[in-house]
Amino acid sequence: MRIVYSRSSTATQSLLRQRHILTEAGLLVRTEGVAEGFRPAEGVLLFEDPATTSKIPALERPAFAKVAAAAHPGDVLSVSELFRLCRDLIDIHAVRDWCQSRGVALRVLPGPLSNFHDLAANDATTALLINVIISVGQFQPS
């Protein structure tokens, strides 16, 4: 199963940019006449946390609890941007541990991280990359 997770930080932010990225990746489909204009593609589960600050750890967010209930070994959890999922090292390590313990792969869609099939992989290169990117991201505004 392919699982998609999206989050916006405030009520004034939109999930639209993330939805466009997810559509380009084939995970969402444009729909006409529907207020949001998108629906999950066949075989995709979509979970969204609108207006949810990154100060709430990913594993404690309402939609992520639904991800946890739906995920099975072999599933792939995709996010449009790593910082929509986690913004600090403690949080990304908790999510990576969660993914590893459940056999769920973690994918980030656009940019250089899209070359990694599984950002939850338990290898030194992936861990180093995640640590560097998240460390830099902690200094950016959410």
Side-chain angles (χ1 to χ4, degrees):
M1 180 69 60
R2 296 178 300 166
I3 300 171
V4 173
Y5 176 79
S6 297
R7 178 190 65 82
S8 62
S9 299
T10 67
T12 60
Q13 289 182 334
S14 168
L15 294 169
L16 191 58
R17 180 173 174 273
Q18 293 176 70
R19 289 177 181 158
H20 283 293
I21 292 169
L22 297 166
T23 300
E24 288 177 11
L27 296 169
L28 297 183
V29 176
R30 296 267 311 148
T31 56
E32 299 299 323
V34 176
E36 287 80 26
F38 299 88
R39 67 170 172 77
E42 185 71 30
V44 175
L45 298 175
L46 172 64
F47 301 96
E48 297 178 327
D49 269 323
T52 305
T53 177
S54 61
K55 290 178 174 62
I56 298 173
L59 298 178
E60 295 176 17
R61 297 180 196 142
F64 203 90
K66 294 176 184 175
V67 168
H72 295 91
D75 288 349
V76 177
L77 171 60
S78 297
V79 295
S80 62
E81 302 169 70
L82 187 58
F83 298 133
R84 296 293 93 209
L85 178 62
C86 301
R87 187 148 307 256
D88 65 43
L89 285 171
I90 293 170
D91 203 14
I92 188 62
H93 286 295
V95 170
R96 290 181 77 234
D97 290 346
W98 178 89
C99 287
Q100 290 169 8
S101 70
R102 284 162 182 78
V104 173
L106 176 60
R107 298 236 26 226
V108 175
L109 299 174
L113 293 178
S114 64
N115 293 324
F116 284 80
H117 173 68
D118 184 7
L119 287 172
N122 193 16
D123 65 86
T125 302
T126 304
L128 174 65
L129 177 72
I130 290 293
N131 286 337
V132 169
I133 290 171
I134 293 292
S135 294
V136 170
Q138 288 181 168
F139 296 103
Q140 297 178 347
S142 32

